[in-house]
């Protein structure tokens, strides 16, 4: 059930058109700066595979109300509220990828998930993004668990080299696994300082705890394989779900004039 490439969503992925937008949940950590380094590394690797990486930061709040009409301060909640915004994915000028705040939007999607299920919430999240986009949804494990409950979706749990890393990672893993997801460990193992504990010891401690206390054999994805594994395991919106959820919006939702340009001028507020 937990083997790489096989999970409950495998059948749904098979119904999805090629190059459809996809999403990978990433649990936030107690050291946001180091976790952001992980996100940037993963986004760079995904770009090398031909994906437009978008980072949605569920720990950062959108500006309310949105200021201006040039795409400034655009966040997840603004996108969910405005059906004319579509085709998102291109990075801002001078940047490698698009980054959006999403704390309020994530709360909205949690309500959708509670009312209609994780697949409908996922469809609502992915509709505004262009083909080839891979959304990295960075948020606290508890919120990801609420959003994707029962989906058996893969979710990245960063493992960072610091004293509380094992407690941090195990806590996220336990929440995600308990909600019916399939978390995997993603150790950030480069540029370690000599004073830091060997990261492999932290990974082994978390793995042992998961096996002993949860009965869960957790996978570890090495840094050099992150992008290919995320590409294969990211959650996509099935064709049937897309048609069922959004057919009523067909003719209303469109790529607004300059939508690509709007995305290209979106800073992280």
């Amino acid at each position: 059930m937990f083997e790489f490439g096989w999970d409950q969503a495998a059948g749904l992925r098979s119904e999805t058109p090629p190059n459809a937008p996809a999403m990978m949940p990433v649990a936030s950590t107690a050291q946001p700066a180091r976790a952001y380094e992980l996100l940037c590394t993963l986004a760079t690797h995904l770009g090398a595979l031909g994906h437009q990486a978008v980072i949605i930061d569920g720990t950062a709040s959108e500006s309310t109300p949105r200021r201006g009409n040039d795409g400034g301060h655009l966040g997840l909640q603004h996108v969910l509220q405005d059906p004319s915004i579509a085709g998102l994915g291109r990075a801002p000028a001078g940047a490698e990828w698009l980054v959006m705040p999403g704390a309020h939007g994530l709360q909205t999607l949690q309500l959708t998930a509670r009312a209609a299920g994780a697949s409908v919430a996922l469809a609502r999240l992915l509709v505004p993004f262009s083909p080839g986009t891979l959304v990295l949804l960075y948020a606290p494990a508890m919120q990801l668990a609420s959003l994707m409950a029962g989906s058996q979706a893969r979710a990245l749990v960063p493992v960072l080299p610091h004293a509380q890393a094992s407690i941090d990672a195990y806590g996220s893993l336990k929440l995600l696994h308990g909600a019916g997801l399939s978390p995997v460990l993603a150790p950030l193992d480069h540029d370690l300082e000599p004073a830091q504990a060997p990261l492999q010891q932290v990974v082994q401690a978390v793995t042992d705890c998961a096996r002993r206390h949860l009965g869960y054999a957790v996978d570890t994805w090495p840094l050099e394989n992150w992008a290919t594994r995320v590409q294969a395991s990211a959650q996509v919106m099935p064709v049937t779900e897309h048609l069922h959820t959004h057919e009523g919006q067909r003719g209303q939702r469109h790529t607004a004039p300059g939508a690509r340009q709007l995305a290209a001028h979106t800073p992280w507020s």
Side-chain angles (χ1 to χ4, degrees):
M1 177 170 66
F2 298 122
E3 297 201 3
F4 169 65
W6 269 128
D7 55 48
Q8 192 178 47
L12 298 182
R13 284 195 290 271
S14 67
E15 300 177 19
T16 305
N19 216 30
M23 184 274 288
M24 173 59 69
V26 182
S28 59
T29 73
Q31 289 194 338
R34 292 305 307 273
Y36 190 68
E37 179 185 348
L38 180 149
L39 290 171
C40 291
T41 299
L42 178 54
T44 299
H45 291 182
L46 289 169
L49 293 178
H51 290 284
Q52 297 180 111
V54 172
I55 298 172
I56 295 179
D57 186 355
T59 69
S61 296
E62 302 90 326
S63 298
T64 306
R66 180 175 141 207
R67 297 190 292 272
N69 297 314
D70 61 350
H73 305 280
L74 181 68
L76 178 59
Q77 182 73 345
H78 309 134
V79 172
L80 295 176
Q81 293 174 339
D82 186 350
S84 70
I85 299 174
L88 296 177
R90 182 176 296 178
E96 295 182 81
W97 48 80
L98 177 65
V99 183
M100 302 168 61
H104 298 307
L106 182 58
Q107 292 174 0
T108 298
L109 290 174
Q110 285 178 271
L111 294 175
T112 299
R114 290 173 195 153
S119 60
V120 176
L122 178 65
R124 189 177 181 191
L125 169 65
L126 290 179
V127 154
F129 294 96
S130 61
T133 301
L134 210 157
V135 176
L136 302 174
L137 180 59
Y138 180 69
M142 184 173 292
Q143 291 182 291
L144 295 176
S146 174
L147 179 66
M148 303 297 294
S151 66
Q152 292 190 358
R154 293 292 198 183
L156 289 183
V157 176
V159 184
L160 306 179
H162 64 89
Q164 299 298 315
S166 57
I167 297 174
D168 190 12
Y170 180 73
S172 294
L173 186 149
K174 182 178 179 180
L175 280 170
L176 294 167
H177 176 65
L181 284 80
S182 300
V184 298
L185 300 180
L188 183 63
D189 57 2
H190 61 73
D191 298 330
L192 299 186
E193 298 176 6
Q196 295 171 330
L199 197 59
Q200 186 54 42
Q201 293 180 14
V202 177
V203 171
Q204 191 61 52
V206 176
T207 300
D208 290 345
C209 284
R211 182 174 57 251
R212 184 165 60 251
H213 299 294
L214 305 178
Y216 179 56
V218 59
D219 285 343
T220 300
W221 290 0
L223 185 151
E224 61 269 18
N225 292 334
W226 282 353
T228 53
R229 295 197 175 209
V230 166
Q231 182 184 41
S233 301
Q235 298 297 296
V236 295
M237 182 173 57
V239 175
T240 51
E241 187 66 55
H242 173 77
L243 293 177
H244 175 73
T245 306
H246 301 282
E247 189 168 3
Q249 298 180 6
R250 195 175 293 173
Q252 299 178 12
R253 174 173 287 278
H254 61 282
T255 302
R260 292 281 186 176
Q261 288 77 9
L262 178 148
H265 290 85
T266 302
W268 186 19
S269 60

